[in-house]
Amino acid sequence: MFGYIVHRLLIMIPTLLVISIVIFTIIQLPPGDYFSTYVAELQSQGEAVDLQKIAFLKAQYGFDKPVWEQYLYWVAGLLHGDMGYSFEYNLPVRDIVGDKLLLTFIVSFATVVFTYLVAFPIGIYSATHQYSWSDHTLTFLGFLGLATPNFLLALVLLYVANVYFGISIGGLMDPRYLDEPWSWGKLVSVLQHLWIPVVVIGLSGTAGMIRRLRANLLDELHKQYVVTARAKGLPPFRALMKYPLRMALNPFISDIGSLLPHIISGAAVVSVVMSLPTTGPMLLDALRSQDMYLAGSFLMFLAFLTVIGVFLSDLALAALDPRIRLRGGVTR
Amino acid sequence: MRRLAVLAIALLAAAAAHAEAPAVKETPSLAAQVKGGELPPVEKRVPSAPLVTQPTEMGKPGGELRLLMAGAKDTRLMVVYGYARLMRYTPAYELEPDLAQSIDVEDGRRYTIHLRPGHKWSDGVPFTSEDFRYWYEDIASNPKLSPSGLPEALLIEGEKPKVEFPDALTIRYTWPRPNPLFLPALAGPYPLFIYAPAHYLKQFHAKYADPKVLAARVSEAGVRNWAALHNKLDAQYRNDNPDLPTLEPWVLKTRPPSDRFIFARNPFFHRIDPAGVQLPYIDQVTMAIADAKIIPAKTGAGESDLQARYLRFDNYTFLKEAESRNNYSVRLWRTAPGSQLALYPDLTVSDPVWRELMRDVRFRRALSLATNRHKINQVIYYGLAIEGQNTVLPKSPLYQAKFREEWAKFDAKAANKLLDEIGLTQRNDDGIRLLSDGRPLQIVIENAGESTEQSDNLELIRDDWRDVGIELFSKPSQLKVFHMRAFAGETVMSIDKGFENGLPTADMPPLELAPVSQQQLEWPKWGQYYETKHQAGEAPDMPAAQKLLALLRQWFDSKTHDERRQIWEEMLEIHADQVFTIGLVAGVPQPVVVSNRLHNVPVEGVYNWDPGAHFGIYHTETFWMAPDASTAASDAPNGKKAE
């Protein structure tokens, strides 16, 4: 086991290196750089541009240097924990990202809890009551959830919430709480606003999870050991929980790998539509305006989390499922 | 070379400067701080010679103004809206002193700036000539902070001014030749700052600061060296440093990054109203950040008290619908480009056949005559725009009807006749005329592909041009590519915004009318030639263009307003006659959403960048919030008109 962990950890290094090259290349691919995008944006609003200031910044940040030199500079910074400097915000990247992470955590965590709370009971219920009237209804709702584009749902709910409940459009709290320290009123306001994004982001995930849980569980329920357990008089609930459900969970544990980056990045499209103060819109803006250190460092952070997440879920699977062996064919 | 005759023009705002200043009154929201000793009383805060501003309607101090913006960078717009400048434009586009008590101009080349005695920065430190000296000697002339040297507007043919600081309230700039760019640059929405808060910035300047402390500050800020730190903190325009003292009516209080920025009133602001109430009336401006695309929706939900930015003309119906529900009114202001969109036949295109044709004035006139502007106006702009050439707008003091109307009336017959005269009589089977080398007359109009507006316009023009035997293709590309092709002479024709400023006065440089920049799509190569000081591009070889350049040069050497006016008119005349650009419609309305509680916002105005500073020239410091909406609603129609 120890050798396996070390091996996996070492493999992360070349993986991340390759990812960093890909990220940097892709960010550099569109013509121009941050400053030309910035100048174009100002000009499109009819504003004046101080080209001298821009020349100063370009020289400061090494835009006149070859690309590989810029890349090395960036990577060297990352190794020291310096994520670089955002031109858009005119601040070090760490100061910007840190601020948004908390709210992203809240939204994503609430979404995960919502998904699990809704999906598990429903999934189990429809598997155990296969082809019943209630199973068909829930299945129908599940497909509806899968098929609705969530940005559309977001727009509809925003409108309803504003016109009927008087909740401000977009954002995660009433505008007057934005700069306040945390208080009871602010918490209530956040909770009032939170349900829309949570439902919207969570809906398709919930629907998908219901379907998968149902299918996995159905596979197990017809196996002989379940029949045996029942025949031997194990109470039905215990006979369900003890083995079939545990078996059905494997895919969810391997999902943790992708869950981790999701929690950090938030659902970008929905966040943009609802103008949530999460990291998703920030990343999108950074990519659009070619704010390369902000975009690059943040993507790198996500890649790092993905790699870690996959690693953790593999370990968890190995620990939870005794059937999994570290090397195929060694024990037979 | 230099004339010795000294002509002194004192640019004094007649009413403001001569009126006896009334006794000032304490602002209610600051009374507690004054009592607690945190602030000096109001008599000590305003300059001993304050600027008395006559509001449309006397207001009450207090209240909060809510704005919506799309990004943290937009904090700079408070500097635009606040519009406190050494010189500023009045709503009639005349220059008047503002921060400066007066500026004496001698011979167009010697400018003496007199500051207001007792004027203070927003932190209470006096605003003196030291702030000007620090900027000129330690910022603008420091190679680390300003590697590219002095700003353009301070150089006349590369020559630096002589700058003197005779006493604490006087600054004098002297050039060997007239510098007509100086005052307009000071009055711009993005002004030429020739001062900086020296007492604050010296802490970050290697010449004044303790090296150890400075090094610690640099590493703390995560920047590379002291110059980067100084430039980051010296954010008079960017306005993202809450510690930086300012002279604007509202001071940033929130440290970025944030999604909501608070601007509090500047307790040391230099303007008062005739009753002695210190301006601005509004205590606090709150700027909430939201995605640009959601701003029209949020505005419609009543979340902004004053909004024009990020609202487009096509949001008008939606905003109007929610007007009564959310207690605001939507006003339509004019925009000021010379033309919303204009076609640019490239006179310096590489292809010799096209070049010859484009340079034929009859061809350009024919294209203009063949364009049905009325149809475009009706179909796309609900008939609310002004049809005609790309030239100055009716509100500009330089306007003459013929500039806009000449060669702009739809007349396919006359267009056909002109095209026949040129000799484009051969046609192919589709009825398309043939060029002299036998190629069909197919014009590819390139654009940056940014909006559907351009393609909508072209779609309408396509039909009209077909009728005179010209085929039109639209080719959207990416902005950068679009520019590269135009600069290289590969573009035959392009579509883009018309003249940036449709509201010039004679005292603004007529730079857009002469070939001086490669950004001018009607003659990129001539522009290159001028910009690169004859290193690249081509010398203008059309008499009309040479004449325009000569006139521009004359303008720079001119000394009087009348002289400049004459030059402007002559240049506009040449443009109207030569049809270098084919304007479509101008003055497309900009929706402006104003809360019914907000007073003193003009009902009709012009929404423009320079001159205009968006709301800036309409004196945002006199806008005030009525506590009760019902009283305001009845007053709103009496608001000040733009002129």
Side-chain angles (χ1 to χ4, degrees):
Chain A
M1 191 73 181
F2 179 73
Y4 172 74
I5 294 179
V6 171
H7 176 72
R8 285 292 302 262
L9 284 177
L10 284 179
I11 271 203
M12 279 184 198
I13 297 172
T15 314
L16 287 173
L17 209 61
V18 170
I19 294 177
S20 74
I21 293 175
V22 172
I23 288 177
F24 198 79
T25 316
I26 290 181
I27 292 178
Q28 295 284 345
L29 270 185
D33 53 36
Y34 171 74
F35 294 109
S36 57
T37 320
Y38 175 59
V39 168
E41 184 202 313
L42 284 187
Q43 281 171 345
S44 74
Q45 294 279 354
E47 286 186 29
V49 186
D50 189 343
L51 292 173
Q52 284 181 318
K53 204 138 234 171
I54 285 172
F56 174 82
L57 289 171
K58 273 193 173 175
Q60 275 292 316
Y61 294 107
F63 276 62
D64 38 2
K65 303 242 171 64
V67 175
W68 60 268
E69 218 169 295
Q70 295 183 33
Y71 170 76
L72 284 185
Y73 174 78
W74 175 58
V75 168
L78 279 182
L79 290 179
H80 291 100
D82 173 13
M83 296 169 76
Y85 199 82
S86 160
F87 311 119
E88 177 94 359
Y89 292 84
N90 209 10
L91 284 171
V93 168
R94 57 166 192 272
D95 293 1
I96 309 158
V97 177
D99 209 56
K100 305 219 165 194
L101 274 182
L102 175 68
L103 282 171
T104 316
F105 263 122
I106 294 180
V107 173
S108 307
F109 190 69
T111 312
V112 171
V113 170
F114 168 81
T115 313
Y116 278 39
L117 279 184
V118 176
F120 267 82
I122 296 183
I124 294 170
Y125 180 87
S126 48
T128 49
H129 298 74
Q130 197 189 8
Y131 302 140
S132 68
W133 177 82
S134 45
D135 178 33
H136 283 303
T137 314
L138 289 170
T139 304
F140 174 72
L141 286 179
F143 278 127
L144 212 62
L146 265 181
T148 315
N150 49 17
F151 69 90
L152 184 73
L153 194 69
L155 287 176
V156 172
L157 285 181
L158 277 184
Y159 179 80
V160 171
N162 180 249
V163 174
Y164 297 103
F165 301 118
I167 296 173
S168 62
I169 290 183
L172 262 189
M173 58 195 88
D174 215 58
R176 66 202 154 101
Y177 289 114
L178 271 173
D179 277 325
E180 305 267 300
W182 284 91
S183 64
W184 181 245
K186 180 163 174 169
L187 189 67
V188 171
S189 178
V190 169
L191 288 179
Q192 273 181 348
H193 284 77
L194 196 59
W195 68 271
I196 303 182
V198 164
V199 168
V200 171
I201 302 172
L203 196 67
S204 65
T206 309
M209 191 175 250
I210 292 175
R211 300 306 304 160
R212 270 181 293 164
L213 190 62
R214 180 177 176 273
N216 287 341
L217 208 50
L218 280 176
D219 282 350
E220 294 297 325
L221 283 176
H222 296 293
K223 288 196 175 154
Q224 286 177 349
Y225 72 93
V226 182
V227 180
T228 313
R230 285 207 180 159
K232 291 212 166 185
L234 207 63
F237 186 70
R238 203 172 146 72
L240 174 73
M241 288 295 163
K242 184 77 183 169
Y243 295 108
L245 186 64
R246 234 177 107 186
M247 290 297 169
L249 280 184
N250 270 3
F252 296 101
I253 293 169
S254 56
D255 259 6
I256 294 179
S258 59
L259 198 65
L260 216 52
H262 257 289
I263 287 188
I264 307 300
S265 69
V269 176
V270 174
S271 306
V272 169
V273 170
M274 303 214 247
S275 113
L276 298 181
T278 57
T279 48
M282 181 197 75
L283 176 62
L284 185 69
D285 280 344
L287 286 171
R288 269 204 305 223
S289 61
Q290 294 188 281
D291 193 353
M292 61 175 189
Y293 292 125
L294 178 56
S297 299
F298 195 70
L299 285 175
M300 220 32 231
F301 185 48
L302 288 184
F304 181 67
L305 284 177
T306 315
V307 173
I308 293 279
V310 169
F311 174 63
L312 285 181
S313 68
D314 283 358
L315 286 188
L317 271 183
L320 286 178
D321 190 337
R323 292 173 305 179
I324 291 177
R325 301 281 175 274
L326 293 180
R327 274 183 192 73
V330 172
T331 47
R332 166 66 228 170
Chain B
M1 189 176 97
R2 263 176 247 164
R3 284 196 207 153
L4 289 172
V6 172
L7 187 72
I9 312 162
L11 289 159
L12 293 172
H18 296 304
E20 269 306 299
V24 281
K25 294 188 197 124
E26 189 56 75
T27 311
S29 60
L30 298 178
Q33 276 171 283
V34 174
K35 217 166 176 194
E38 292 158 51
L39 277 179
V42 66
E43 308 81 49
K44 298 258 169 62
R45 295 203 311 266
V46 298
S48 48
L51 174 60
V52 185
T53 306
Q54 176 68 52
T56 317
E57 174 193 342
M58 301 292 274
K60 289 193 187 66
E64 178 198 19
L65 180 76
R66 296 166 308 151
L67 303 175
L68 291 169
M69 287 295 161
K73 272 189 320 211
D74 285 348
T75 49
R76 70 185 186 282
L77 288 168
M78 281 311 292
V79 178
V80 177
Y81 292 178
Y83 200 48
R85 306 288 186 262
L86 285 171
M87 295 291 286
R88 58 178 282 157
Y89 285 107
T90 65
Y93 304 109
E94 272 149 20
L95 283 166
E96 67 175 23
D98 175 14
L99 295 174
Q101 190 171 24
S102 64
I103 296 185
D104 300 332
V105 186
E106 291 163 55
D107 220 9
R109 59 181 197 89
R110 174 178 298 186
Y111 294 82
T112 311
I113 304 168
H114 300 282
L115 300 181
R116 295 177 187 278
H119 196 167
K120 297 184 180 68
W121 290 94
S122 58
D123 58 357
V125 175
F127 172 53
T128 64
S129 59
E130 168 64 10
D131 297 313
F132 289 76
R133 187 206 62 74
Y134 179 75
W135 180 83
Y136 187 77
E137 289 176 5
D138 294 326
I139 298 182
S141 305
N142 183 307
K144 284 229 173 66
L145 288 175
S146 310
S148 44
L150 288 182
E152 284 284 308
L154 290 186
L155 297 174
I156 280 299
E157 316 226 322
E159 286 206 61
K160 290 182 180 179
K162 190 170 124 218
V163 188
E164 300 156 283
F165 312 95
D167 62 56
L169 297 177
T170 317
I171 303 97
R172 183 173 297 127
Y173 274 72
T174 315
W175 283 272
R177 302 162 59 90
N179 182 1
L181 295 179
F182 188 54
L183 294 182
L186 295 180
Y190 182 170
L192 170 65
F193 283 107
I194 57 169
Y195 52 84
H199 62 282
Y200 169 76
L201 287 171
K202 277 179 183 171
Q203 307 172 63
F204 310 100
H205 198 298
K207 185 171 157 192
Y208 301 95
D210 176 0
K212 266 193 215 129
V213 181
L214 190 58
R217 283 189 167 130
V218 167
S219 68
E220 193 191 340
V223 290
R224 296 193 179 180
N225 51 40
W226 72 268
L229 178 67
H230 190 286
N231 266 357
K232 175 178 150 76
L233 295 175
D234 178 17
Q236 294 197 79
Y237 178 67
R238 212 167 54 237
N239 199 16
D240 59 2
N241 177 8
D243 299 327
L244 184 75
T246 174
L247 300 168
E248 291 290 323
W250 292 281
V251 189
L252 175 70
K253 288 290 170 200
T254 312
R255 192 173 299 280
S258 172
D259 283 324
R260 193 172 113 113
F261 292 93
I262 307 280
F263 299 83
R265 65 180 306 134
N266 175 357
F268 296 91
F269 196 58
H270 64 290
R271 293 180 213 153
I272 58 174
D273 79 359
V277 176
Q278 191 186 15
L279 298 171
Y281 285 133
I282 289 172
D283 273 344
Q284 177 179 318
V285 178
T286 312
M287 183 186 280
I289 305 298
D291 192 82
K293 286 184 209 71
I294 208 173
I295 284 180
K298 278 169 106 55
T299 308
E303 288 182 35
S304 173
D305 295 318
L306 180 66
Q307 194 74 34
R309 200 177 169 85
Y310 304 111
L311 302 183
R312 290 190 319 264
F313 182 55
D314 49 1
N315 300 134
Y316 179 60
T317 45
F318 162 74
L319 292 168
K320 195 83 187 159
E321 189 254 338
E323 205 174 42
S324 58
R325 179 153 34 102
N326 289 311
N327 198 27
Y328 61 74
S329 61
V330 192
R331 300 172 188 180
L332 288 179
W333 284 17
R334 289 265 179 217
T335 52
S339 184
Q340 177 81 359
L341 288 173
L343 303 177
Y344 290 86
D346 189 346
L347 301 175
T348 60
V349 61
S350 306
D351 186 319
V353 179
W354 277 115
R355 181 187 288 222
E356 199 198 318
L357 188 60
M358 290 297 176
R359 288 187 177 197
D360 192 325
V361 67
R362 290 172 297 179
F363 183 66
R364 299 194 299 270
R365 285 173 183 166
L367 290 182
S368 179
L369 287 172
T371 308
N372 189 344
R373 295 175 174 82
H374 187 64
K375 187 167 77 179
I376 292 174
N377 191 8
Q378 292 299 326
V379 172
I380 302 178
Y381 303 105
Y382 307 125
L384 291 168
I386 306 165
E387 297 152 23
Q389 282 300 0
N390 179 20
T391 182
V392 295
L393 291 175
K395 283 213 166 111
S396 161
L398 299 166
Y399 178 75
Q400 290 176 24
K402 65 173 180 197
F403 296 154
R404 189 157 283 281
E405 287 159 15
E406 210 170 353
W407 304 108
K409 203 155 187 67
F410 178 56
D411 189 346
K413 223 167 157 188
N416 263 321
K417 197 167 154 245
L418 279 172
L419 292 171
D420 289 341
E421 256 177 56
I422 303 172
L424 299 165
T425 45
Q426 303 277 336
R427 294 189 184 228
N428 69 8
D429 300 340
D430 297 332
I432 302 300
R433 292 167 191 272
L434 297 181
L435 290 171
S436 58
D437 62 352
R439 281 182 289 170
L441 186 45
Q442 295 171 327
I443 302 183
V444 178
I445 301 193
E446 303 196 13
N447 57 68
E450 272 162 348
S451 67
T452 51
E453 191 182 353
Q454 296 176 345
S455 40
D456 291 348
N457 271 285
L458 289 178
E459 203 58 42
L460 291 173
I461 298 170
R462 179 206 311 274
D463 298 342
D464 298 329
W465 283 12
R466 245 208 104 82
D467 293 341
V468 296
I470 297 172
E471 198 157 22
L472 181 157
F473 293 100
S474 149
K475 182 183 172 198
S477 60
Q478 213 254 342
L479 184 73
K480 188 106 184 165
V481 180
F482 169 65
H483 276 154
M484 293 315 289
R485 283 181 55 83
F487 300 162
E490 289 168 45
T491 311
V492 173
M493 198 182 286
S494 42
I495 182 167
D496 203 358
K497 250 189 319 203
F499 291 139
E500 203 65 65
N501 180 11
L503 294 167
T505 64
D507 295 325
M508 295 178 201
L511 287 168
E512 287 187 286
L513 300 180
V516 295
S517 155
Q518 64 172 358
Q519 303 279 349
Q520 296 167 323
L521 297 167
E522 66 271 38
W523 43 47
K525 288 204 177 156
W526 296 344
Q528 255 168 41
Y529 185 76
Y530 184 91
E531 259 180 338
T532 59
K533 305 208 164 59
H534 309 183
Q535 299 297 310
E538 293 166 17
D541 49 358
M542 270 172 73
Q546 288 163 345
K547 174 90 189 161
L548 286 172
L549 264 182
L551 283 168
L552 179 68
R553 169 112 218 153
Q554 259 182 41
W555 186 91
F556 272 98
D557 287 339
S558 63
K559 296 216 167 61
T560 66
H561 178 86
D562 287 338
E563 228 179 303
R564 287 177 201 150
R565 189 183 170 89
Q566 219 174 347
I567 295 167
W568 260 99
E569 281 172 2
E570 203 172 329
M571 291 177 86
L572 287 169
E573 182 105 45
I574 294 175
H575 267 265
D577 181 57
Q578 291 283 326
V579 201
F580 286 127
T581 62
I582 300 167
L584 302 174
V585 297
V588 171
Q590 164 72 42
V592 179
V593 167
V594 185
S595 160
N596 286 341
R597 287 172 52 208
L598 184 64
H599 291 238
N600 282 350
V601 184
V603 174
E604 280 173 26
V606 176
Y607 185 72
N608 189 35
W609 177 250
D610 188 15
H614 291 170
F615 298 115
I617 61 167
Y618 298 111
H619 288 276
T620 44
E621 76 278 8
T622 67
F623 294 0
W624 65 285
M625 293 297 272
D628 178 8
S630 57
T631 53
S634 58
D635 294 342
N638 304 330
K640 183 182 168 192
K641 298 231 169 176
E643 276 187 346

